[in-house]
Amino acid sequence: MNTTRLHSRTLGILFILPFFAYGIGTALVTSVLKEPVNLAAVAGQRTPFVGGALLLLLNSIIVVGIGVLFFPILRERSPSISVAYVCTRVMEAVLLLVGVVFLLSILQLGESAQGQTTPELVTLFKLLSKGNFWAYQLAMIILGAGSVPFFLSLYQSRLLPSFLPLLGAVGYGLLALGSVFELFGLPWGVLFSGPGGLFELFLGGWLIAKGFRTVTPSVAVTPSVAA
């Protein structure tokens, strides 16, 4: 299978971009959402809040692009896994978008509060924040669970050095496990997401610099026998 350099470089860039889009977007949003709850402050910092939400939205678009660009790479070898990986990325994006909706609802809540911070509004604020938390963790569970078989299939394809897909399978497996722990109240998600995050950066750099291998199926040659 011949994968063009432009294709692999684009895929590499898409693996690196979410690190910045989601990281900066989250930093902007969390800089506004501080404890104790101050809805007036949220409404007064609309620009950084919306800017962060837009970066989170961009991240959702990028992850779908990763699935779409990876689809033709393994389509011939593992069509079902390729389709499943695209679906994984789409479901991840949808859940992350749900999280963005929760965040924008917090902004609307702050603007509607008109400077008031009643117990009812604080409770609603916390519910919306928790909704964003759950949406993110579920997205990471789906991403991790769907990526493990994909990278194991990529390992079998020999399109990348064997250590890379194996690191990816382990990293995404840990990512899913960490999110499960988070849902049960154990704050281990950041620790378990580290290997997967570093893998994505490394894979992105590898694809930009070296791309995929060209794997030519071996052809058995049967010598002709004179009668």
Side-chain angles (χ1 to χ4, degrees), residues 8 20 52 63 72 75 88 103 120 125 145 150 186 192 201 206 217 226:
S8 60
F20 296 99
V63 299
R75 178 177 53 191
T88 294
L103 292 175
E120 292 79 9
F125 172 90
F150 177 80
L186 300 173
F192 278 69
L201 289 175
W206 183 280

Side-chain angles (χ1 to χ4, degrees), residues 15-32:
F15 260 101
I16 293 175
L17 281 179
F19 183 82
F20 296 99
Y22 197 88
I24 297 173
T26 301
L28 288 173
V29 170
T30 54
S31 68
V32 178

Side-chain angles (χ1 to χ4, degrees), residues 107-147:
L107 176 62
Q108 185 61 43
L109 178 67
E111 293 177 341
S112 302
Q114 298 180 345
Q116 302 179 31
T117 307
T118 64
E120 292 79 9
L121 291 175
V122 171
T123 299
L124 186 54
F125 172 90
K126 291 181 178 179
L127 285 174
L128 292 172
S129 297
K130 186 61 69 172
N132 173 62
F133 168 82
W134 276 79
Y136 174 79
Q137 300 303 336
L138 290 174
M140 294 304 100
I141 291 173
I142 290 175
L143 171 61
S147 296

Side-chain angles (χ1 to χ4, degrees), residues 40-53:
V42 173
Q45 300 185 61
R46 181 183 182 89
T47 298
F49 195 91
V50 172

Side-chain angles (χ1 to χ4, degrees), residues 5 67 110 159:
R5 293 293 293 122
L159 290 170

Side-chain angles (χ1 to χ4, degrees), residues 3-197:
T3 304
T4 65
R5 293 293 293 122
L6 177 60
H7 190 121
S8 60
R9 284 173 178 167
T10 303
L11 193 49
I13 291 171
L14 291 185
F15 260 101
I16 293 175
L17 281 179
F19 183 82
F20 296 99
Y22 197 88
I24 297 173
T26 301
L28 288 173
V29 170
T30 54
S31 68
V32 178
L33 300 180
K34 298 177 181 178
E35 294 289 348
V37 177
N38 188 341
L39 293 176
V42 173
Q45 300 185 61
R46 181 183 182 89
T47 298
F49 195 91
V50 172
L54 289 177
L55 286 174
L56 297 179
L57 174 62
L58 175 62
N59 173 75
S60 298
I61 297 172
I62 292 172
V63 299
V64 173
I66 292 174
V68 171
L69 287 182
F70 250 132
F71 176 73
I73 294 174
L74 282 183
R75 178 177 53 191
E76 296 177 5
R77 297 173 180 270
S78 305
S80 59
I81 290 181
S82 296
V83 172
Y85 186 68
V86 175
C87 294
T88 294
R89 286 296 188 169
V90 170
M91 288 188 289
E92 175 198 2
V94 169
L95 284 168
L96 292 177
L97 284 174
V98 170
V100 173
V101 171
F102 278 121
L103 292 175
L104 292 176
S105 298
I106 291 175
L107 176 62
Q108 185 61 43
L109 178 67
E111 293 177 341
S112 302
Q114 298 180 345
Q116 302 179 31
T117 307
T118 64
E120 292 79 9
L121 291 175
V122 171
T123 299
L124 186 54
F125 172 90
K126 291 181 178 179
L127 285 174
L128 292 172
S129 297
K130 186 61 69 172
N132 173 62
F133 168 82
W134 276 79
Y136 174 79
Q137 300 303 336
L138 290 174
M140 294 304 100
I141 291 173
I142 290 175
L143 171 61
S147 296
V148 170
F150 177 80
F151 279 95
L152 290 178
S153 181
L154 195 60
Y155 165 77
Q156 295 175 343
S157 73
R158 298 180 298 161
L159 290 170
L160 290 170
S162 58
F163 74 93
L164 263 179
L166 291 178
L167 286 177
V170 172
Y172 282 115
L174 290 175
L175 173 67
L177 182 60
S179 291
V180 171
F181 285 142
E182 287 282 349
L183 293 182
F184 281 97
L186 300 173
W188 298 346
V190 174
L191 176 64
F192 278 69
S193 66

